[in-house]
Amino acid sequence: MARSDDLLVLVSALVLASCSPGPDKPQAQTAASPAPAPVAAAPAPTAATPAATAVPGPVAGTRITEAYARMLTRDAYFWAWPMANIYNKRLAFAKAPEPGLLGGVLPFAPPNRISMLTDYVDPAERAVACPNQDVVYGGGILALDQSPVVVQVPDFGNRFWVYQVVDLRTDSFADLGAMYGTQPGFYLLVGPDWKGDVPAGITKVFRSTTNTGFIGPRAFQDDTPEDKRAIQDVISQIDAYPLAEFDGRMKKHEWAKLPHFPQPEGGGAETKWVFPETFIDQLPLLLADAKPLPGEEPRYAALRELIDVAQKHPELKAAMADEARRADKELVAPLFEFRNFGVQLPYHWSTVDNGAAFGTDYFTRTAVGKSNILVNKPNETKYFYQDLDQDGQRLNSRNRYTVTFANGQVPPVKGFWSLTMYNQHHFFEPNAIKRYSVGTKNKDLHKAADGSITVYVQTDEPTDPAERANWLPSPKNEDFSLYVRAYWPEAAVTSGQWTPPAVVKRR
């Protein structure tokens, strides 16, 4: 396990070194020779400033109070929550005997491999909140300390596609997608310390700053039987595998024949991936996997002090576990609600402008991790979140709503757009027409005489044929959320010039 140095803050230093030129041998001066210019006196020597200064950090063995231990734990739990989420997915996926489907619905594969769906994700999926039914998904865990990973990119033609590749922090480290002009071929993902040889046939290497990560291919699919058949050939060539298996040839995988693995029974909420009671025990693994970002060295030193105290003082460790539970309830849980974070927009919509590029924005990183983890970068996909109607009231299926896109005012994209319905747990709620989103994939959306498109959000089926064509069923007897995706957004979306229209309660 990698070990970070003690607290060390590098202080930039300007080393002033002045030296006067050595005396030249005087030359004879003649009447024709001009007088030499005056020479300024050399400045007095100054003491050189050290290039780096070591700043003392925590001293091992120092006694700390319970209140201080709780404070550090609370901050650490919030900071590390997305990292623990991804790391525990790695531990779970390591149990997969081969690529398959967990519960018959979730891509599930051993580390450094992927599994692919062959159609939209099933509404029964409960492992990752806010799935969408616009793309065919794949997924897999990266363990780059075990091996570099080869990623296959087939020829998608005109079909929109993007591979999400993120590190333990959920920050993207590979640009693979239609918006990048990525060519078909083979790409290599490597860990922070890998120093091997890149074999011939690899187009580009992407280096992660952490050993653990996640890869999630996405390929757009129309909501038609024809496109569901047409996409199968290209999907069969999407793959990822350890470098040792690379032979320069495009492998094909019959994803429709994947084995199904049982999963434990769960409730309606997302699978629990972060565990407050074992957080302190897991924290050393997270610190070892993700080396500190610039400026994070003092944080890492303080957390190692916390770990040392927990190992030596059981009563303080128990207090830390209790505080982690409190932090989970009081700090993290409220961020499941979209209205509690993000950049605020007209009509109570919100968004984030740094998805998958969080860096040291720990608040947004954890908020996104809790509410809808594994988002793309904004230039790949822009997300807009909604919990409230135009009047600021919570969206609830007791009411009927409309969302009207004026003529020419659907999200401006080069890829596709969609408006998705999520139940109170940020998942799909089964409905009679099996519709969970509307957008580019729908070929039969009704346009009004003025060119506008109105989406009717309600539990009961509309009686008017035009409204029925644009019906987005809401779940029964509960709060719900709406969610706009703009894949490969135009500049009007990423700059904030375009924002979604109001969700209007029907009177």
Side-chain angles (χ1 to χ4, degrees):
M1 184 161 51
R3 183 181 65 83
S4 179
D5 293 333
D6 291 337
L7 173 62
L8 181 64
V9 178
L10 297 181
V11 179
S12 158
L14 175 63
V15 180
L16 303 175
S18 60
C19 57
S20 58
D24 293 332
K25 184 177 180 180
Q27 297 179 347
Q29 182 177 340
T30 65
S33 302
V39 178
T46 59
T49 303
T53 302
V55 177
V59 175
T62 299
R63 182 187 182 96
I64 65 173
T65 63
E66 178 181 323
Y68 182 72
R70 284 179 175 274
M71 180 186 73
L72 280 182
T73 301
R74 193 174 182 86
D75 178 71
Y77 186 82
F78 187 90
W79 170 78
W81 195 95
M83 300 160 68
N85 187 298
I86 298 297
Y87 196 88
N88 285 328
K89 285 183 172 70
R90 172 175 173 169
L91 298 180
F93 277 53
K95 299 177 182 178
E98 60 179 310
L101 297 176
L102 190 64
V105 298
L106 178 72
F108 187 60
N112 296 335
R113 300 184 185 277
I114 66 168
S115 175
M116 285 291 302
L117 300 176
T118 56
D119 200 350
Y120 297 140
V121 64
D122 192 281
E125 188 272 317
R126 290 295 182 272
V128 181
C130 294
N132 76 66
Q133 285 210 341
D134 309 307
V135 300
V136 177
Y137 277 112
I141 282 291
L142 300 174
L144 299 175
D145 49 332
Q146 297 178 7
S147 168
V149 174
V150 174
V151 178
Q152 285 189 177
V153 174
D155 185 352
F156 286 90
N158 295 325
R159 186 182 300 276
F160 173 89
W161 68 279
V162 64
Y163 289 8
Q164 181 189 33
V165 186
V166 298
D167 61 16
L168 187 67
R169 296 183 172 91
T170 66
D171 281 340
S172 174
F173 70 90
D175 295 339
L176 295 168
M179 67 289 302
Y180 301 111
T182 305
Q183 296 300 306
F186 303 95
Y187 297 81
L188 191 64
L189 310 178
V190 303
D193 303 317
W194 187 75
K195 297 181 177 64
D197 296 324
V198 179
I202 296 294
T203 301
K204 190 171 183 178
V205 177
F206 296 101
R207 185 177 294 273
S208 172
T209 61
T210 68
N211 285 313
T212 301
F214 182 88
I215 177 172
R218 293 165 164 89
F220 176 71
Q221 176 182 269
D222 282 345
D223 195 16
T224 62
E226 294 79 15
D227 201 47
K228 291 184 178 185
R229 288 192 296 268
I231 199 174
Q232 299 308 313
D233 183 61
V234 69
I235 287 175
S236 71
Q237 299 173 68
I238 299 174
D239 210 348
Y241 42 83
L243 178 58
E245 298 178 18
F246 176 64
D247 58 10
R249 293 179 293 181
M250 191 72 69
K251 305 180 191 303
K252 297 193 73 171
H253 212 122
E254 292 189 66
W255 300 114
K257 298 183 179 180
L258 287 175
H260 291 192
F261 305 125
Q263 66 176 354
E265 290 294 327
E270 183 179 25
T271 300
K272 189 176 180 65
W273 294 106
V274 184
F275 307 96
E277 58 274 11
T278 58
F279 171 71
I280 290 297
D281 292 325
Q282 193 171 42
L283 186 56
L285 302 176
L286 305 181
L287 299 183
D289 198 305
K291 296 176 181 178
L293 297 175
E296 284 189 329
E297 293 86 356
R299 174 181 292 272
Y300 275 57
L303 294 182
R304 287 199 165 87
E305 177 191 27
L306 188 71
I307 293 165
D308 182 66
V309 169
Q311 292 172 344
K312 296 177 180 177
H313 301 281
E315 73 284 0
L316 287 181
K317 184 177 181 181
M320 294 174 197
D322 177 66
E323 196 62 37
R325 286 189 290 269
R326 290 170 179 260
D328 191 75
K329 180 180 179 180
E330 299 168 6
L331 292 179
V332 179
L335 297 179
F336 180 78
E337 303 292 337
F338 293 130
R339 63 189 181 278
N340 289 337
F341 69 91
V343 177
Q344 301 304 296
L345 303 173
Y347 306 119
H348 306 289
W349 289 90
S350 62
T351 189
V352 295
D353 292 332
N354 57 348
F358 302 110
T360 58
D361 183 357
Y362 308 134
F363 180 81
T364 303
R365 181 175 75 183
T366 295
V368 171
K370 178 62 178 178
S371 61
N372 65 139
I373 199 169
L374 299 174
V375 301
N376 293 101
K377 291 192 296 184
N379 66 305
E380 298 172 352
T381 313
K382 196 73 165 69
Y383 305 88
F384 299 91
Y385 313 123
Q386 185 63 277
D387 289 335
L388 309 173
D389 67 16
Q390 184 179 27
D391 299 322
Q393 300 301 306
R394 187 69 175 89
L395 297 176
N396 188 279
S397 54
R398 293 189 303 269
N399 305 309
R400 300 173 179 174
Y401 305 90
T402 59
V403 181
T404 299
F405 297 92
N407 185 24
Q409 289 301 306
V410 297
V413 294
K414 295 178 182 177
F416 65 90
W417 70 272
S418 64
L419 173 66
T420 299
M421 164 68 65
Y422 291 118
N423 68 14
Q424 61 182 328
H425 301 299
H426 292 181
F427 289 108
F428 300 135
E429 189 74 21
N431 60 73
I433 64 171
K434 299 182 179 180
R435 176 182 284 182
Y436 307 100
S437 66
V438 295
T440 304
K441 69 175 186 177
N442 301 102
K443 304 305 180 184
D444 57 352
L445 290 180
H446 174 77
K447 284 189 177 183
D450 62 359
S452 64
I453 296 176
T454 296
V455 180
Y456 297 88
V457 180
Q458 57 192 64
T459 300
D460 55 310
E461 182 174 357
T463 56
D464 182 273
E467 294 186 7
R468 192 181 308 121
N470 295 7
W471 176 36
L472 183 58
S474 58
K476 296 180 179 179
N477 304 317
E478 65 179 57
D479 292 342
F480 63 85
S481 299
L482 294 173
Y483 193 117
V484 170
R485 287 177 173 85
Y487 271 85
W488 195 357
E490 298 277 9
V493 174
T494 54
S495 68
Q497 180 182 347
W498 183 94
T499 57
V503 182
V504 180
K505 180 180 175 181
R506 301 181 76 177
R507 305 300 178 185

